[in-house]
Amino acid sequence: MTVTKMSWRPQYRSSKFRNVYGKVANREHCFDGIPITKNVHDNHFCAVNTRFLAIVTESAGGGSFLVIPLEQTGRIEPNYPKVCGHQGNVLDIKWNPFIDNIIASCSEDTSVRIWEIPEGGLKRNMTEALLELHGHSRRVGLVEWHPTTNNILFSAGYDYKVLIWNLDVGEPVKMIDCHSDVILCMSFNTDGSLLTTTCKDKKLRVIEPRSGRVLQEANCKNHRVNRVVFLGNMKRLLTTGVSRWNTRQIALWDQEDLSMPLIEEEIDGLSGLLFPFYDADTHMLYLAGKGDGNIRYYEISSEKPFLSYLMEFRSPAPQKGLGVMPKHGLDVSACEVFRFYKLVTLKGLIEPISMIVPRRSDSYQEDIYPMTPGTEPALTPDEWLGGINRDPVLMSLKEGYKKSSKMVFKAPIKEKKSVVVNGIDLLENVPPRTENEVRNISYYVHRSWKRETFTFQLWASGL
């Protein structure tokens, strides 16, 4: 009898992240009793930094979100103060990466607002925003801060436009008008010189944001794109979407040639959206499915096979969205390389999940914590708008993160006036595009006409 010996080599022997595991925080370190929004908009409804956790909540009339200091874990009281200045549902919230008490929000009321959270959190409901930004003619679905420039904010609306706001003056300074349908996702490369978007028109675009010029465009018929993320400085994009067989799928692209994806990989047959998260320091990609409790993680490389599956974190509780802690807020002593804040709507629970590299040594693990983008901006708005690009200002995590940002946001004094960008007044009357908008306008006009008629009849009869 002849025995054939097969040489077998573990595929991920060289990876230092092959044994990364997810650790759920104890119940006392979770945030409980939170009325998480039931809105079906495909966003995370959650934003986190080293000081605060912000969550969009259910509210009767208007839109609101909670801002909770991170140390205030446990059960949150039902009457806990909210940020509640919007007249419509809040659709997205994002913390300023350089000033940790400034948060941007956008809403169905067509506005973008900038809020300043007081030291120690809210003591009463906050209704007055630091800045109200009006420029979109329809609801605003996304906001993103520029990764290296202070006070530059991007917003994407259902009017198919991306507006670039200079918060030093409180006005939109550029408009990107190349999309023919609703923008689903925006992502920047490392220095913020390129913007990539996915759109309901089934196209993936790479855009030079200051000029609005489309550098690359892919018509994704076989891979219907939903979300996109730049993979650091690798000149690669990763998209999540749906294949022609309605299975969840990911695709890897060369940012300089979107004619064909480098690879496509089917994930599973579930229907929920796949949220991608990329950690440029570890080259790890996390895929979290909306409506299921799993988080898969991969290692990205510049050589084939490009994408190497590592492991999967499993949980029975479905996630509505996920917030991500910035790198300088992680526990380096526990070898934590990523931290999610998972929204569990059915339980009204926010659950921290730490991704940990198992190491026996207690010393600082320099190989898993390279220099990382810190809290100092590399550029002023005028420098960036003038055409300068600069990489993020890096910091070391070796001594543990203690430094607080010295930057303070100063709101410009604004007068009510027209908002003109690229020669177009953004606030002038815009014709309705959908049947619902026509119906709503007709309803309000009819109701107003009836009220005026009734008032006239009362006046005519001497009452």
Side-chain angles (χ1 to χ4, degrees), residues 52-72:
F52 299 109
L53 172 70
I55 312 105
V56 179
T57 58
E58 277 293 286
S59 59
S64 64
F65 58 94
L66 286 171
V67 176
I68 306 166
L70 281 186
E71 64 274 9
Q72 197 174 324

Side-chain angles (χ1 to χ4, degrees), residues 20 52 66 78 83 107 254 272 329 354 356 358 401 440-441 443:
V20 167
F52 299 109
L66 286 171
V83 179
S107 165
D254 180 344
S354 296
I356 293 171
Y401 185 75
N440 286 341
I441 291 170
Y443 169 74

Side-chain angles (χ1 to χ4, degrees), residues 265-394:
E265 187 169 315
E266 291 191 18
I267 303 300
D268 57 31
L270 298 179
S271 59
L273 183 75
L274 273 178
F275 292 117
F277 303 89
Y278 181 65
D279 179 3
D281 295 347
T282 61
H283 303 295
M284 284 180 67
L285 170 75
Y286 300 87
L287 295 178
K290 184 178 180 179
D292 57 72
N294 302 345
I295 301 173
R296 296 172 175 85
Y297 35 105
Y298 301 77
E299 193 167 13
I300 304 280
S301 61
S302 54
E303 307 293 327
K304 287 186 177 181
F306 302 122
L307 196 68
S308 303
Y309 175 78
L310 293 173
M311 219 180 286
E312 182 173 355
F313 168 81
R314 291 176 175 269
S315 164
Q319 56 228 3
K320 181 181 181 69
L322 293 154
V324 173
M325 172 64 74
K327 205 74 177 186
H328 51 264
L330 300 180
D331 183 359
V332 296
S333 63
C335 295
E336 183 184 34
V337 290
F338 216 74
R339 190 191 305 162
F340 293 102
Y341 285 77
K342 173 178 169 177
L343 276 63
V344 186
T345 312
L346 297 174
K347 298 179 182 178
L349 184 71
I350 311 294
E351 190 177 65
I353 302 169
S354 296
M355 309 307 292
I356 293 171
V357 180
R359 295 280 173 97
R360 289 180 181 171
S361 172
D362 292 332
S363 61
Y364 179 70
Q365 306 293 308
E366 207 148 351
D367 61 323
I368 61 174
Y369 295 117
M371 296 285 281
T372 192
T375 58
E376 298 295 324
L379 293 166
T380 65
D382 289 341
E383 286 174 331
W384 184 77
L385 291 167
I388 299 173
N389 296 318
R390 202 170 286 157
D391 283 335
V393 178
L394 302 181

